């Protein structure tokens, strides 16, 4: 059965998987990145999730509410738990230095595997598209992954546009 599932998977899906793995490996290394480039992967993942939710469940109240609530909670948590010491903004050069992390790879694989599993599951059991529990679980998963991406991106953008003290500058809050 697994061989049948893999053989019926379109070639573009494997190309997308290879691209996401590549981007995840790149994200695992310390790098300087232009602020605009930081938004590419979160927007791609948002598009994949949105396409997954809207085509399978429709743009109706339950899927949208599950996605929005999960995304809001995950974005808020990621904003609050984000380690500012892992990013240094250089607005004068238009770049952000960020420490490498495997989290982007895990989140990308989360979106990809959710989308793949939903596709396979619905191909075998199409009636699940109407199942409330299935809808809630899938849309919540998409929302969590996207919220993590968006919370991280928004936090980095916030740090980029916030004034940062120069190294060695006097900070009156220390006294």
């Amino acid at each position: 059965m697994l061989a049948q599932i893999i053989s019926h998977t379109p070639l573009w899906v494997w190309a997308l998987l290879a691209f996401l793995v590549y981007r995840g490996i790149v994200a695992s290394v310390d790098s300087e990145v232009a602020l605009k480039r930081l938004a590419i992967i979160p927007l791609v993942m948002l598009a994949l999730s949105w396409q997954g939710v809207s085509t399978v469940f429709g743009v109706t109240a339950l899927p949208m509410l599950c996605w929005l609530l999960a995304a809001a909670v995950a974005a808020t948590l990621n904003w609050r738990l984000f380690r500012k010491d892992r990013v240094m903004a250089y607005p004068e050069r238009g770049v952000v230095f960020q420490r490498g992390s495997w989290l982007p790879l895990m989140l990308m694989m989360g979106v990809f595997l959710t989308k793949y599993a939903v596709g396979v599951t619905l191909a075998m059991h199409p009636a699940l598209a109407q199942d409330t529990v299935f809808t809630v679980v899938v849309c919540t998963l998409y929302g969590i992954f996207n919220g993590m991406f968006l919370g991280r991106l928004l936090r980095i953008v916030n740090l980029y546009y916030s004034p940062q003290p120069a190294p060695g500058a006097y900070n009156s809050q220390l006294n």
Side-chain angles (χ1 to χ4, degrees):
M1 183 155 103
L2 183 60
Q4 210 174 23
I5 291 170
I6 292 171
S7 69
H8 285 89
T9 300
L11 191 56
W12 68 266
V13 172
W14 302 120
L16 176 61
L17 176 61
F19 171 74
L20 295 176
V21 168
Y22 167 76
R23 292 302 307 160
I25 291 170
V26 168
S28 72
V29 179
D30 294 359
S31 63
E32 278 190 3
V33 182
L35 189 62
K36 289 179 184 178
R37 282 193 56 210
L38 281 176
I40 293 172
I41 292 297
L43 292 176
V44 168
M45 294 295 101
L46 181 65
L48 284 173
S49 292
W50 175 254
Q51 188 270 341
V53 170
S54 63
T55 58
V56 172
F57 306 108
V59 183
T60 58
L62 180 64
M64 295 301 109
L65 183 62
C66 291
W67 186 93
L68 282 171
L69 286 174
V73 168
T76 301
L77 284 172
N78 204 353
W79 176 284
R80 290 182 175 265
L81 299 175
F82 186 83
R83 291 188 43 203
K84 295 180 205 176
D85 63 330
R86 301 200 44 87
V87 172
M88 179 59 76
Y90 298 103
E92 67 282 354
R93 293 191 352 236
V95 298
V96 173
F97 172 81
Q98 57 183 0
R99 295 275 177 211
S101 172
W102 291 103
L103 182 61
L105 177 62
M106 290 186 288
L107 294 174
M108 288 185 281
M109 290 303 98
V111 172
F112 179 87
L113 292 173
T114 299
K115 191 163 178 51
Y116 190 80
V118 167
V120 169
T121 301
L122 291 176
M124 295 183 339
H125 308 285
L128 279 175
Q130 307 305 318
D131 185 82
T132 303
V133 173
F134 186 76
T135 301
V136 168
V137 169
V138 170
C139 295
T140 299
L141 278 173
Y142 280 136
I144 290 169
F145 296 132
N146 286 136
M148 297 275 298
F149 271 120
L150 294 174
R152 181 178 186 276
L153 177 63
L154 293 173
R155 189 60 161 147
I156 292 172
V157 168
N158 174 262
L159 291 170
Y160 182 87
Y161 287 110
S162 296
Q164 296 184 15
Y170 177 76
N171 187 343
S172 63
Q173 293 176 334
L174 293 177
N175 295 330

